Amino acid sequence: MKKTLILILLVIALAVLPFFINHGGEYGGSDDQAEGVIAQMAPDYKPWFEPLYEPASGEIESLLFTLQGSFGAAVIFYILGYYRGRRAAHVGD
């Protein structure tokens, strides 16, 4: 029980600590590259809206994107498993 609690706290710490650490390095992703191309092709282009939250660094932005994808995959596979389980339960009737 004690070991499980320590492991859970470590996982939470690993997920939360990057939000508070800013190393100053910049991670360049495809969004940044697209922004550069748009600036070259149409210098007077103005974005339709601004982001609600700007992460402290690119690493945190990448983490949030990965968490979003993981959460979406978890929901999809939960639903698929649920319906497969229902179908398997009805086959035995």
Side-chain angles (χ1 to χ4, degrees):
M1 177 68 178
K2 185 177 178 182
K3 188 185 287 187
T4 304
L5 183 62
I6 291 172
L7 288 174
I8 290 172
L9 290 174
L10 285 173
V11 168
I12 291 171
L14 285 173
V16 172
L17 282 176
F19 289 105
F20 301 104
I21 299 172
N22 187 2
H23 295 290
E26 194 60 37
Y27 172 77
S30 61
D31 289 345
D32 295 334
Q33 292 175 359
E35 187 177 325
V37 171
I38 291 170
Q40 287 177 352
M41 293 178 68
D44 57 340
Y45 174 78
K46 294 197 180 2
W48 293 358
F49 57 89
E50 295 294 323
L52 298 174
Y53 169 71
E54 190 69 36
S57 69
E59 291 86 0
I60 294 175
E61 186 174 353
S62 180
L63 170 72
L64 292 174
F65 183 75
T66 303
L67 287 174
Q68 177 185 357
S70 300
F71 180 72
V75 168
I76 289 169
F77 286 115
Y78 174 80
I79 292 169
L80 290 174
Y82 175 78
Y83 282 114
R84 183 176 176 144
R86 274 184 61 186
R87 187 174 44 165
H90 288 279
V91 171
D93 287 342

